[in-house]
Amino acid sequence: MLAPGGTLSDDMTRTEFCLFTAQEDLETMQAYAQVFNKLIRRYKYLEKGFEEEIKKLLLFLKGFTESERNKLAMLTGILLANGNLSASILNSLFNENLVKEGVSAAFAVKLFKSWINEKDINSVAVSLRKVGMDNRLMELFPANKRSCEHFSKYFTDAGLKELSDFARNQQSIGARKELQKELQDMMSRGEPQREVGVRGRTEEMKKANLSEQTMISIIWTSVMSCVEWNKKEELVTEQAIKHLKQYSLLLKAFTSQGLSELSLLLKIQEYCYDNIHFMKAFQKIVVLLYKADVLNEEAILKWYSDAHLNKGKSVFLEQMKKFVEWLKNAEEESESEEEETD
């Protein structure tokens, strides 16, 4: 159908069974998809050629009318859902001219609607991840509109909220990985926490729309993964205390909320449980962070009473028993002093 350069060929002949002359509805497109499905199953050698032709058609979408594009989008979505095509064909939609004129985004709406209608958003997610395109959906828009907000509004308004949620989640995952790698690189170079930069991390958190709880989790993982830990239990605790002291200011900057402190406590519990040499270090790490004003007594008492994980629960609760009793007594003494003053 396409002549060189992507224009429609003059001597093109269409049969009465041509997709582009069919009715523009999902049921009709599903019938066409069945034909392609049966043909490819019967003649396996057609599979590769068919995929190449679809890629070519997507590259020259401007050669078709809006209605023809809609039909092709619906059919492509169904074929993707049924595994007749690889999601790598969507690379064609990132063509600069198609993106600039809004053709790619409009085509994607119809395509993803029929795909999700045929299967679900999980099918979309799995297929996109398989070909490394899960983080590229923003490229359906020109550079000046390539933001999470614009993407979210465009697809939510088009009735594809699950796709906008997926893209937002992917962007957040990407930002977390990038931030964690950057932190680990800086820490492994031995840069002090003032150079690791609290202010810079705060700005990155806002820009990537990450919560403080997510940030404290990233920072803890980065801090603990930039060291070659001693394999001896009695030495690793001392090493950990020394190491964590260096980053107490950074940890403190991202525990301004009770929920963040609790998130950090759970990360510490999980880490000490998963790394057997740290099993006896839990209490000393918590006390250090309490003294450094990273954790307060409320968060520690909440963790102890009902917010802890089951991982190593009995061991860690036993370790914390005396310290928790001391905290409770200190709290009671403080309350009685206040009453006497009143």
Side-chain angles (χ1 to χ4, degrees), residues 77-261:
I78 296 163
L79 292 168
L80 282 162
N82 295 329
N84 298 122
L85 290 170
S86 159
S88 61
I89 60 148
L90 300 178
N91 263 309
S92 297
L93 293 181
F94 302 140
N95 175 280
E96 197 181 334
N97 293 324
L98 296 176
V99 169
K100 202 161 118 185
E101 294 186 29
V103 174
S104 294
F107 187 87
V109 165
K110 291 284 182 184
L111 182 148
F112 284 116
K113 268 191 176 175
S114 70
W115 189 344
I116 291 166
N117 178 70
E118 198 73 12
K119 284 282 175 73
D120 54 31
I121 191 64
N122 292 328
S123 161
V124 174
V126 168
S127 298
L128 292 177
R129 284 192 192 112
K130 200 174 176 182
V131 295
M133 291 182 72
D134 45 327
N135 285 315
R136 293 190 64 195
L137 292 179
M138 296 286 169
E139 292 173 46
L140 290 165
F141 298 100
N144 63 336
K145 291 181 178 175
R146 215 167 278 172
S147 70
C148 207
E149 289 67 34
H150 180 78
F151 186 98
S152 181
K153 186 175 183 337
Y154 186 91
F155 283 99
T156 302
D157 289 351
L160 281 165
K161 188 179 182 300
E162 56 264 76
L163 188 70
S164 74
D165 289 345
F166 167 73
R168 189 180 286 277
N169 187 41
Q170 288 307 114
Q171 195 190 39
S172 178
I173 290 168
R176 289 204 296 266
K177 283 180 180 172
E178 208 173 298
L179 183 57
Q180 190 164 314
K181 188 182 183 306
E182 187 192 331
L183 278 167
Q184 282 171 344
D185 288 347
M186 292 177 88
M187 288 170 185
S188 60
R189 290 196 297 268
E191 293 179 18
Q193 55 187 327
R194 66 175 179 277
E195 285 176 36
V196 171
V198 169
R199 189 181 296 172
R201 302 290 82 81
T202 310
E203 284 167 10
E204 283 169 0
M205 177 179 89
K206 287 174 185 168
K207 191 178 167 187
N209 203 24
L210 299 173
S211 67
E212 198 180 78
Q213 291 83 56
T214 303
M215 277 299 291
I216 197 66
S217 174
I218 291 170
I219 290 165
W220 170 262
T221 305
S222 303
V223 166
M224 298 307 279
S225 61
C226 67
V227 178
E228 184 85 34
W229 295 111
N230 202 299
K231 297 284 183 249
K232 293 182 179 173
E233 240 176 39
E234 62 276 12
L235 297 174
V236 82
T237 302
E238 192 183 322
Q239 187 189 5
I241 297 302
K242 194 177 172 185
H243 177 65
L244 285 166
K245 268 181 187 173
Q246 293 178 66
Y247 294 103
S248 57
L249 278 178
L250 187 62
L251 292 164
K252 185 181 176 181
F254 294 95
T255 49
S256 66
Q257 303 164 14
L259 203 53
S260 309
E261 293 181 44

Side-chain angles (χ1 to χ4, degrees), residues 43-104:
Y43 307 107
K44 267 310 241 185
Y45 64 87
L46 290 176
E47 196 169 11
K48 190 167 171 43
F50 180 60
E51 203 160 284
E52 289 306 313
E53 288 305 311
I54 293 285
K55 278 184 195 172
K56 213 181 292 177
L57 285 172
L58 298 192
L59 264 180
F60 299 108
L61 285 175
K62 286 198 293 182
F64 304 106
T65 65
E66 189 184 347
S67 176
E68 288 169 343
R69 285 199 293 265
N70 289 346
K71 291 168 195 173
L72 182 60
M74 286 191 276
L75 175 75
T76 306
I78 296 163
L79 292 168
L80 282 162
N82 295 329
N84 298 122
L85 290 170
S86 159
S88 61
I89 60 148
L90 300 178
N91 263 309
S92 297
L93 293 181
F94 302 140
N95 175 280
E96 197 181 334
N97 293 324
L98 296 176
V99 169
K100 202 161 118 185
E101 294 186 29
V103 174
S104 294

Side-chain angles (χ1 to χ4, degrees), residues 211-221 251 254-272 282 285-286 289 294-296 298-300 302-304 307-309:
S211 67
E212 198 180 78
Q213 291 83 56
T214 303
M215 277 299 291
I216 197 66
S217 174
I218 291 170
I219 290 165
W220 170 262
T221 305
L251 292 164
F254 294 95
T255 49
S256 66
Q257 303 164 14
L259 203 53
S260 309
E261 293 181 44
L262 208 48
S263 295
L264 178 58
L265 273 163
L266 295 174
K267 286 298 288 183
I268 299 167
Q269 181 184 350
E270 197 169 34
Y271 187 88
C272 290
F282 180 77
I285 291 172
V286 174
L289 296 178
V294 176
L295 299 170
N296 68 26
E298 280 177 35
I300 295 168
K302 173 73 179 161
W303 171 87
Y304 187 82
H308 47 260
L309 300 169

